[in-house]
């Protein structure tokens, strides 16, 4: 299994593209499919080689910058989970976001909402790693689409799980 957050997803997915040992990949709001990442220009970018299932969790901000053409270039099955709330930001998944939560720095009433989203994301990741469907409760905070590959290698349209 490989995991990446932010630009940390690039080396993780490049490794998954090179190695059949990798059985699952999780991208937590990683900038892999957008123009600012330049992922496609890397010598390691070999989308046809990515065979493991991918859980692609994105904030609203990242979702809006993802390039659908790059996303569709991958032949593997992908579960995309867009975080519904704009209150959850990229840094909320990092140590800075967790410190802010603990210190109560957010005094606008969003602390509880962000915590709920954070823990639902963790639950969804664990289910994905266990090869189980994402929990129904995840639908409260995540908009989930599943993309499967047909026999010709073309990604199908999204199918709601």
């Amino acid at each position: 299994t490989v995991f990446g957050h932010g630009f940390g997803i690039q080396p993780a997915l490049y490794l998954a593209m090179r190695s059949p040992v990798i059985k699952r990949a999780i991208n937590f709001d990683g900038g892999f499919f957008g123009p600012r990442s330049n992922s496609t220009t890397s010598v390691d970018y070999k989308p046809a080689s990515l065979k493991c299932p991918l859980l692609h969790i994105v904030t609203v901000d990242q979702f809006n910058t993802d390039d659908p053409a790059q996303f569709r270039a991958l032949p593997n099955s992908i579960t995309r989970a867009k975080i519904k709330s704009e209150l959850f930001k990229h840094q909320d998944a990092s140590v800075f976001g967790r410190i802010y939560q603990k210190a109560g720095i957010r005094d606008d009433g969003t602390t509880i909402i962000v915590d709920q989203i954070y823990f639902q994301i963790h639950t969804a990741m664990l289910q994905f790693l266990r090869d189980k469907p994402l929990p129904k409760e995840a639908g409260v905070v995540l908009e989930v689409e599943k993309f499967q590959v047909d026999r010709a290698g073309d990604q199908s349209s999204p199918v709601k799980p």
Side-chain angles (χ1 to χ4, degrees), residues 3-9 26-32 36 55-66 81 83 88-93 121:
F3 173 88
H5 175 253
F7 284 123
I9 191 57
I26 298 175
N27 175 11
F28 192 171
D29 207 36
F32 193 81
R36 68 180 173 205
L55 176 59
H56 179 58
I57 302 169
V58 290
T59 58
V60 172
D61 293 336
Q62 183 62 47
F63 178 82
N64 290 334
T65 62
D66 277 354
I83 299 166
F88 194 93
K89 300 297 183 189
H90 180 79
Q91 67 272 10
D92 287 324
I121 289 168

Side-chain angles (χ1 to χ4, degrees), residues 1-13 16 24-34 36-37 39 50 52-59 62-63 66 70-71 74 76 78-83 90 93 121 124-125 128-129 142:
T1 300
V2 293
F3 173 88
H5 175 253
F7 284 123
I9 191 57
Q10 289 179 325
L13 283 183
R24 297 216 168 255
I26 298 175
N27 175 11
F28 192 171
D29 207 36
F32 193 81
F33 302 109
R36 68 180 173 205
S37 69
S39 297
L50 187 64
C52 66
L54 169 66
L55 176 59
H56 179 58
I57 302 169
V58 290
T59 58
Q62 183 62 47
F63 178 82
D66 277 354
Q70 287 183 37
F71 189 76
L74 298 174
N76 58 318
I78 301 171
T79 301
R80 179 172 58 195
K82 181 176 89 172
I83 299 166
H90 180 79
I121 289 168
M125 284 193 264
F128 175 78
L129 291 173
L142 301 172

Side-chain angles (χ1 to χ4, degrees), residues 110-128:
T110 62
T111 301
I112 293 172
I113 295 167
V114 169
D115 265 351
Q116 289 171 344
I117 294 168
Y118 185 79
F119 289 110
Q120 284 295 330
I121 289 168
H122 277 191
T123 300
M125 284 193 264
L126 289 171
Q127 288 296 96
F128 175 78

